[in-house]
Amino acid sequence: MRAGLIGYAYSGKTTLFQAVAIGHAHGDVASVPVPDPRFDRLCEDIQPKKRTHASVEIVDNAARIPEPGGARPADFAQAARRPDLLIHVVREFRSPNVPFHAEPDPERDHDAVMTELVLADLQTIENRIARLEKERESQNPGTEQYIHRTLLEHVKPLVEEGTPVRSVEMDDLEREVLQSYQLLTLKPVVVAINCSEDRIHEVSPLQEKLRSQDEPAFRICAEIEKEITRMDWDERREFYKDLGIASPATESLIRAVYDALGLISFFTVVGSEARAWPLRRGANALKAAETVHTEIARGFIRAEVVGCADFEESGSLKACYDRNLMHLERKEYVVQDGDILKIRHKT
């Protein structure tokens, strides 16, 4: 899964990327571990020689946003379609070193960028409807072309009003149809409000607005987060304590990206390695086996499952087995977030 950083020039995208991606970057792409205290506790219990966190890919400056009043770059929509999720970095901080068209205004800038995404989707929808109208099959109820045309015609006026496609009520089949067009406003968006150090604890009007719409938004001082990554662990703890921050904002951001992508984690312990695996929420044990290895999925017999709550309460994996808290499940079992799985399979 890939998340792309977008936003106006000088909003702090690259600074945030450097803070999040330190030690994990390869050019403008980084595979960033997802913080998970549950997995850390499992590793403390079993002391594996190797531990592998689940991760998400972060791409710096994933799509060049057109500046206010400027022409839209020809590759803007195409580039913005590549990530599975967009992280919109919005500048709130003031700096005499940052050339900008106006004083920082997070609400203005967020609305302007979201409008660009809506306009790109509207163009895609109009073009597709025009092509479908020329196809005879699109006039016959029940055909694939008819279903696509009627759905796009239903969505079009809502998009014209500025409604993101992800906010439109639809069933799974309709969502699958629209996903085939790679509509930008169907993608989840996480907003990072890049603020100054002295305003890190404030709640801005943009945050309140986005929270009321169930859209994830975070305040983050990217410059400070970047500086902290250069410190050793003891210095970091003291620094966060002085700032009154419980954990790095970058960790909260990555966790929010993971959640917004609709992912959960399950854990495996095989030999001397403990590993956290990403899995779509609602997926079954067979899909989890396939995530580990396709051969394991082909030979799937049963899954030994220890629930997260049982592990937390018992204190160790061995104690869960001793107390018969492990349960056997078939391939249809819906994996729960934090499950510890041992997949029995034909070798």
Side-chain angles (χ1 to χ4, degrees), residues 40-284:
D40 294 337
R41 285 191 288 273
L42 175 62
C43 291
E44 288 173 9
D45 171 39
I46 63 174
Q47 293 295 307
K49 291 182 180 179
K50 183 179 180 182
R51 57 187 73 185
T52 305
H53 283 77
S55 63
V56 292
E57 280 193 348
I58 306 294
V59 183
D60 187 21
N61 209 18
R64 188 162 60 91
I65 297 293
E67 293 300 323
R72 184 179 299 119
D75 63 347
F76 162 68
Q78 182 179 353
R81 288 190 181 103
R82 294 190 186 109
D84 302 291
L85 175 146
L86 301 174
I87 303 173
H88 182 203
V89 184
V90 184
R91 182 170 83 95
E92 185 187 87
F93 67 89
R94 286 174 167 79
S95 172
N97 300 320
V98 176
F100 206 67
H101 68 282
E103 282 294 297
D105 185 334
E107 286 190 83
R108 176 202 62 209
D109 292 348
H110 178 69
D111 289 346
V113 170
M114 293 303 105
T115 296
E116 289 295 333
L117 301 181
V118 166
L119 290 174
D121 279 355
L122 186 58
Q123 185 174 26
T124 298
I125 291 169
E126 289 176 341
N127 290 344
R128 186 55 184 164
I129 289 175
R131 286 197 294 270
L132 285 168
E133 286 176 341
K134 298 176 182 178
E135 298 181 17
R136 182 179 301 175
E137 291 83 355
S138 70
Q139 309 303 320
N140 299 327
T143 64
E144 180 180 331
Q145 292 86 343
Y146 178 87
I147 293 170
H148 282 231
R149 182 176 64 82
T150 54
L151 179 56
L152 291 170
E153 288 175 343
H154 168 68
V155 168
K156 180 185 172 184
L158 299 173
V159 175
E160 286 175 330
E161 294 172 359
T163 303
V165 179
R166 64 180 174 275
S167 299
V168 178
E169 288 190 15
M170 66 186 84
D171 59 32
D172 291 341
L173 178 59
E174 290 171 332
R175 183 172 295 275
E176 185 177 337
V177 168
L178 294 176
Q179 283 176 336
S180 69
Y181 295 108
Q182 295 183 300
L183 298 175
L184 300 181
T185 63
L186 191 56
K187 297 177 183 289
V189 176
V190 173
V191 178
I193 302 170
N194 195 4
C195 63
S196 56
E197 179 184 343
D198 61 333
R199 301 184 67 181
I200 194 69
H201 295 294
E202 295 183 11
V203 177
S204 68
L206 177 58
Q207 276 177 285
E208 292 178 340
K209 174 184 174 181
L210 292 172
R211 285 177 182 175
S212 70
Q213 299 169 349
D214 292 325
E215 299 278 358
F218 294 85
R219 296 181 72 75
I220 188 167
C221 180
E223 190 62 44
I224 289 297
E225 294 284 338
K226 177 183 172 183
E227 291 300 318
I228 290 174
T229 59
R230 298 173 179 171
M231 302 177 181
D232 63 36
W233 286 109
D234 290 335
E235 288 179 316
R236 289 187 198 185
R237 279 193 290 267
E238 285 301 315
F239 198 92
Y240 283 123
K241 184 178 179 181
D242 291 341
L243 287 176
I245 299 173
S247 61
T250 49
E251 289 190 4
S252 299
L253 178 65
I254 294 301
R255 188 72 235 180
V257 166
Y258 197 69
D259 292 341
L261 285 167
L263 299 173
I264 63 169
S265 292
F266 70 93
F267 312 133
T268 60
V269 180
V270 179
S272 60
E273 181 182 9
R275 184 160 183 166
W277 302 87
L279 187 69
R280 283 285 188 187
R281 189 176 300 278
N284 60 27

Side-chain angles (χ1 to χ4, degrees), residues 8-35:
Y8 286 129
Y10 305 104
S11 60
K13 299 184 297 295
T14 297
T15 303
L16 179 56
F17 175 79
Q18 291 169 344
V20 169
I22 187 166
H24 306 286
H26 298 280
D28 60 358
V29 179
S31 183
V32 182
V34 178

